[in-house]
Amino acid sequence: MAVRGAIVEVAFPPQALPTINEALLIERDAGDKILAEVQAHVDQTNIRAIALRSTIGLRRGQKVIATGGPVETPVGEAVLGRLVDVTGSIADDGPPLPADAPRRSIHRPPPPLAQKSPGTEIFATGVKAIDLLTPLAHGGKAAMFGGAGVGKTVLVMELINAMIARYRGISVFAGVGERSREGHEMLLDMRRYGVLDRSVLVYGQMNEPPGARWRAPLTALTIAEFFRDERRQNVLLLMDNVFRFVQAGAEVSGLLGRMPSRVGYQPTLASEVADLQERIASVGDAAVTAIEAVYVPADDFTDPAVTAIASHVDSMVVLSRQMAAEGMYPAIDPIQSSSVLLDPLVVGEKHAQVATETRRVIEHYRELQDVIALLGVDELSLEDRRLVGRARRLQRFLTQPFVVTENFTGMAGRSVAVAETIAGCKNILQGDCDDWPENSFYMVGPIDEAREKMLSARRRAETPANGAPP
């Protein structure tokens, strides 16, 4: 046996050579066992495996046992309310799982196409920009794309908070390459909100070997599939961050000695992403709905990993660094974001018209920004000045305070119904709010809050400094 970082090379008799993806147990001198997974056959007697735990303490000549099957994880009611690692081992302070807890292989084929149900039911989130411009599908896949520091994790946390409050299914959270601080905060938040008993947290932490980070999403997906297929329950699957799944796969590929592909990624990038994403589907009357955060390296949306993930999702929520710099949170780009559900036959004629007109007005404003920067807004035509004012009001109206940021901003979080979002944007587009100050739309919920903010500002302006009536 040879050990090269997270890669373990093992010799077997030719007649007992384990298959690809078969689990191996490696016994350490300390008495514990390390789980590894076969990834390559070197020759007729040697295999290369990726360790799912640290290989510190391994040495040549130690005993390796082929389990005869793939890596398995415990599933079912036993894991509800628990935090587990990639192998299903308990990672919180609670008692061990019962010995009779059902276990399932983390490698499963996707449901046949004939069994999949199309996701056309809207999954309301209470976030104005998402519900209006990029509606999510019940039983579909949505991804939040953005570079570092633009608010992906905060947005995913807000969606968790908003959906769990109204969602009556099971929630499975996959933390891929997460910091231990983030996992601890997630556990405490779910306990505080009283939703932990219907949730499962699966973590492959940043300090763990690449194999653990690479297989953590498969463990979470296996747990979700059990509730969908065998309990006929709807499941909300949240993954943060899918890019780190790709990154871990690239590390494993390099350790195995494979020739890298474009930008240094693994040659199997497309198939690995497809194997994960195609398992997320609705089957019959039960669905797995996925919300995924995707890091965009160097804000390059043409990165191979980003394009591979984007090709599988129904809704793309693109976060803009420029909007984040301007304080427009959530920093959702209304032009680049898209959804296959934004169709009059799905969301209704009114919703589709308001969303399309909102995009048109904001895009026209962006086209004029260079002219405004050079000559000033006063040099525009009257119609362009009117559209610029409405675009700026729309951008501010699509911001809102989040529940998960209350401790930092001091502003109470807002959840807005889809009908109220559409009505507010329609009022702005029709010119009903042209004489309202722009700051009255910033960080509010429905349009009524903006109206109240505007009236309060006018009352303050009309009141003399000494407080006497004018």
Side-chain angles (χ1 to χ4, degrees), residues 80-295:
L80 288 177
R82 307 306 300 270
L83 190 152
V84 299
D85 65 10
V86 64
T87 63
S89 300
I90 293 300
D92 54 28
D93 296 330
L97 296 177
D100 59 348
R103 302 182 71 87
R104 296 291 183 271
S105 165
I106 67 170
H107 298 284
R108 301 183 64 193
L113 186 61
Q115 294 182 12
K116 293 184 178 181
S117 305
T120 56
E121 182 184 343
I122 299 299
F123 209 86
T125 65
V127 179
K128 291 182 287 188
I130 291 178
D131 289 342
L132 177 70
L133 302 170
T134 61
L136 309 188
H138 177 72
K141 297 181 281 285
M144 317 295 168
F145 293 89
V150 295
K152 296 183 302 298
T153 298
V154 171
L155 184 55
V156 169
M157 290 291 293
E158 180 68 14
L159 291 175
I160 293 172
N161 178 75
M163 290 181 174
I164 284 178
R166 68 186 76 184
Y167 192 77
R168 292 296 174 262
I170 302 297
S171 299
V172 180
F173 181 86
V176 187
E178 288 287 274
R179 303 166 185 86
S180 57
R181 170 188 59 78
E182 294 171 332
H184 183 66
E185 288 176 356
M186 171 74 76
L187 187 63
L188 293 179
D189 285 343
M190 287 196 163
R191 281 177 178 163
R192 186 169 69 250
Y193 297 139
V195 297
L196 186 60
D197 60 338
R198 299 190 63 77
S199 305
V200 185
L201 306 180
V202 181
Y203 274 85
Q205 290 180 189
M206 189 177 286
N207 63 331
E208 293 190 72
R213 290 178 271 123
W214 190 37
R215 292 313 192 196
L218 300 186
T219 298
L221 191 50
T222 301
I223 295 171
E225 288 172 330
F226 175 85
F227 287 105
R228 181 195 66 191
D229 299 335
E230 301 187 38
R231 294 291 184 269
R232 312 306 303 167
Q233 292 178 284
N234 292 324
V235 183
L236 179 62
L237 176 65
L238 304 123
M239 287 192 276
D240 187 9
N241 186 302
V242 182
F243 176 79
R244 294 197 190 111
F245 160 75
V246 174
Q247 201 172 37
E251 291 180 49
V252 170
S253 181
L255 289 169
L256 291 170
R258 294 173 183 157
M259 185 70 71
S261 183
R262 288 190 303 158
V263 201
Y265 287 112
Q266 62 270 44
T268 53
L269 169 64
S271 59
E272 287 177 10
V273 171
D275 288 343
L276 174 70
Q277 299 288 349
E278 290 304 304
R279 288 171 61 180
I280 303 170
S282 299
V283 178
D285 57 351
V288 174
T289 303
I291 297 175
E292 310 167 7
V294 183
Y295 167 68

Side-chain angles (χ1 to χ4, degrees), residues 65-87:
I65 303 170
T67 62
V71 176
E72 293 184 339
T73 182
V75 296
E77 284 73 12
V79 296
L80 288 177
R82 307 306 300 270
L83 190 152
V84 299
D85 65 10
V86 64
T87 63

